[in-house]
């Protein structure tokens, strides 16, 4: 009787092990089959974050890794040995999950996650979807300047104006600078303020960068107009929401275009990220990083995108790592145009983040003026201005 009981236990344990193994095989087969079906594409293909786009997401690095398994020349093309991370590779190919892009895991499942429906057109040094530019609205009391912070460290802000050197002999009107979010400020100058969401001020803010950009561009022969209209004040007067800032700034751009539609239009902002993500050391000097934002809902956005790509590449050549890259934003939850539909020469530039100093910001303004001047005069010599899209609004 005891012998029979032991046999029964052995048979029962073996059956359980087989069941578990069969279940694991079934789950693995189902997972793999769903990935293959999604790769083929069906009528239920999802949005840009869906698994239906998996084949299009395989980048050059991934292809080099595949080739490197068989030919070590490809594995060491950058002078370093390549050792593919199999877990990352398996998740990327089978389920379009990327560990450096949390959107691929969460997709559309979380309410409000469409706010991150943008993509990297050109990635700068260390750029991925975990450190994308962040745009946040100020608390209503800050927007109304009801609790505006006292200022500090003002001696660090260089004065411009009276003693500026005269413009270059080679001269052409070429740049219009404005600020849709004109009160975006920097924490080092706001006494007692630690919260990045409260980094706004009516006097010391992102418009200070316009002074240095104007001086630097004009020293290189490029006539520059800086418009410091207080968009925030206009929003309050008209009882408009903060996200309508671009609509309010649109009239400013259109007025400027009536005078010179062939000039370049730079909307200057600052990022909400912290200093470790917005600062770069170049030749021993600290710079505030730049980011180029392009509105993907503009039907002519490819012209703006090409301009941003060209400027990013020039920065990479002369100031390696200063540009975080070029981002395209579109869809619900973002403006999607940023008034770039008015001109193929229009871009939005983020200058640093909430923790950067004007010493760092001004170095970046000088660097940007340096590379833009090269781009501008080269375009002038070629004589191929961008075609201007027609504004229907």
């Amino acid at each position: 009787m005891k012998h029979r009981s032991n046999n029964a236990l052995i048979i029962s344990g073996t059956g359980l092990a087989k069941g578990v193994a069969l279940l694991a095989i079934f789950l693995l087969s189902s997972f793999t089959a769903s990935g293959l079906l999604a790769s083929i594409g069906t009528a239920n293909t999802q949005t840009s974050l869906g698994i239906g786009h998996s084949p299009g997401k395989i980048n050059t690095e991934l292809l080099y890794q595949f080739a490197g398994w068989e030919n070590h020349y490809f594995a060491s093309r950058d002078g370093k040995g390549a050792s593919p991370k199999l877990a990352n590779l398996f998740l990327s190919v089978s389920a379009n999950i990327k560990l450096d892009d949390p959107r691929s895991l969460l997709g559309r499942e979380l309410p409000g996650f469409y706010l991150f429906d943008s993509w990297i057109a050109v990635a700068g040094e260390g750029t991925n979807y975990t450190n994308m530019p962040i745009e946040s609205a100020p608390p209503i009391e800050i927007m109304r300047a009801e609790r505006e912070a006292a200022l500090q460290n003002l001696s660090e802000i260089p004065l411009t104006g009276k003693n500026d050197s005269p413009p270059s002999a080679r001269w052409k009107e070429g740049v219009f600078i404005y600020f849709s979010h004109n009160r975006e400020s920097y924490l080092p100058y706001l006494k007692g303020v630690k919260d990045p969401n409260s980094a706004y001020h009516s006097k010391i803010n992102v418009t200070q960068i316009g002074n240095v950009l104007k001086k630097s561009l004009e020293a290189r022969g490029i006539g520059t107009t800086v418009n410091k209209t207080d968009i925030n004040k206009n929003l309050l007067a008209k009882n408009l929401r903060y996200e309508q800032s671009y609509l309010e700034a649109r009239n400013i751009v259109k007025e400027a275009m009536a005078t010179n539609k062939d000039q370049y239009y730079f909307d200057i902002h600052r990022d909400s990220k912290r200093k470790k993500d917005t600062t770069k050391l170049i030749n021993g000097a600290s710079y505030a990083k730049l980011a180029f934002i392009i509105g993907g809902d503009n039907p002519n956005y490819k012209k703006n995108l090409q301009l941003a790509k060209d400027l990013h590449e020039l920065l990479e050549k002369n100031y390696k790592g200063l540009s975080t890259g070029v981002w395209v934003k579109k869809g619900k939850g973002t403006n999607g145009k940023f008034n770039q539909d008015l001109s193929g020469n229009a871009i939005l530039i983020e200058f640093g983040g909430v923790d950067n100093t004007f010493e760092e910001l001004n170095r970046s303004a000088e660097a940007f003026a340096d590379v833009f001047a090269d781009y501008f005069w080269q375009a002038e010599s070629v004589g191929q201005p961008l075609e201007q899209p027609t504004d229907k609004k």
Side-chain angles (χ1 to χ4, degrees), residues 306-365:
Q306 188 58 54
L307 171 60
K309 286 181 176 180
D310 291 342
L311 294 176
H312 167 80
E313 290 172 3
L314 284 172
L315 285 168
E316 279 292 278
K317 180 181 177 181
N318 296 284
Y319 300 89
K320 180 71 175 175
L322 180 57
S323 171
T324 63
V326 183
W327 299 78
V328 177
K329 290 191 174 184
K330 63 179 296 185
K332 186 179 179 181
T334 188
N335 179 272
K337 290 183 180 179
F338 309 114
N339 293 320
Q340 294 163 6
D341 56 318
L342 295 176
S343 170
N345 292 350
I347 53 176
L348 187 157
I349 312 172
E350 302 269 7
F351 269 78
V354 291
D355 297 308
N356 285 112
T357 66
F358 279 108
E359 184 179 19
E360 296 165 333
L361 293 159
N362 292 342
R363 285 197 189 104
S364 300

Side-chain angles (χ1 to χ4, degrees), residues 33-95:
S34 64
L36 292 173
L37 288 173
S39 299
I40 295 173
T42 67
N44 294 322
T45 299
Q46 299 182 22
T47 63
S48 61
L49 300 181
I51 60 176
H53 287 265
S54 296
K57 297 287 187 179
I58 298 178
N59 59 22
T60 305
E61 183 67 28
L62 188 58
L63 294 176
Y64 268 108
Q65 288 183 0
F66 279 131
W69 290 347
E70 297 299 326
N71 188 329
H72 293 293
Y73 170 80
F74 292 102
S76 59
R77 62 189 172 84
D78 58 354
K80 302 177 183 178
S83 54
K85 296 180 180 179
L86 295 180
N88 293 1
L89 186 61
F90 176 75
L91 288 171
S92 177
V93 173
S94 61

Side-chain angles (χ1 to χ4, degrees), residues 100-294:
D100 64 350
D101 183 358
R103 307 174 314 160
S104 62
L105 178 63
L106 300 174
R108 305 293 183 188
E109 301 304 319
L110 295 181
F113 211 73
Y114 56 76
L115 292 173
F116 298 94
D117 189 13
S118 60
W119 70 88
I120 304 173
V122 181
E125 181 181 85
T127 295
N128 57 53
Y129 288 101
T130 64
N131 53 23
M132 63 192 298
I134 300 173
E135 184 176 58
S136 60
I140 188 63
E141 64 271 17
I142 299 296
M143 183 179 173
R144 292 174 177 169
E146 293 174 354
R147 294 201 323 230
E148 193 165 67
L151 297 171
Q152 62 184 6
N153 302 326
L154 298 185
S155 60
E156 297 179 5
I157 304 175
L159 298 176
T160 59
K162 293 182 180 179
N163 298 319
D164 288 354
S165 57
S168 168
R170 181 173 61 161
W171 180 269
K172 181 177 175 63
E173 289 290 342
V175 171
F176 182 83
I177 296 171
Y178 68 105
F179 310 88
S180 292
H181 293 162
N182 65 291
R183 294 191 182 182
E184 289 179 329
S185 189
Y186 300 89
L187 291 176
Y189 305 97
L190 306 179
K191 189 174 183 179
V193 179
K194 304 296 182 183
D195 181 8
N197 292 324
S198 298
Y200 294 84
H201 202 275
S202 63
K203 296 180 178 64
I204 299 302
N205 48 52
V206 73
T207 63
Q208 305 294 130
I209 298 170
N211 300 335
V212 180
L213 275 175
K214 177 180 174 65
K215 179 180 177 181
S216 301
L217 288 167
E218 292 190 342
R220 294 166 173 82
I222 304 173
T224 303
T225 300
V226 178
N227 185 294
K228 294 188 178 183
T229 298
D230 192 343
I231 299 294
N232 190 93
K233 182 178 180 180
N234 290 354
L235 294 178
L236 294 173
K238 298 178 181 180
N239 198 29
L240 298 176
R241 300 184 306 276
Y242 189 73
E243 56 267 27
Q244 293 176 286
S245 299
Y246 295 105
L247 182 61
E248 185 64 23
R250 190 176 185 85
N251 294 327
I252 295 172
V253 179
K254 292 173 73 173
E255 287 177 11
M257 289 187 67
T259 303
N260 183 0
K261 70 176 182 179
D262 292 327
Q263 63 189 342
Y264 292 81
Y265 301 88
F266 299 149
D267 189 3
I268 306 300
H269 292 245
R270 69 108 175 93
D271 205 336
S272 294
K273 296 200 304 296
R274 304 314 297 260
K275 191 158 189 174
K276 67 181 180 64
D277 293 321
T278 63
T279 311
K280 176 66 179 178
L281 197 66
I282 302 176
N283 296 328
S286 184
Y287 288 72
K289 287 186 178 181
L290 306 180
F292 297 96
I293 310 298
I294 301 300

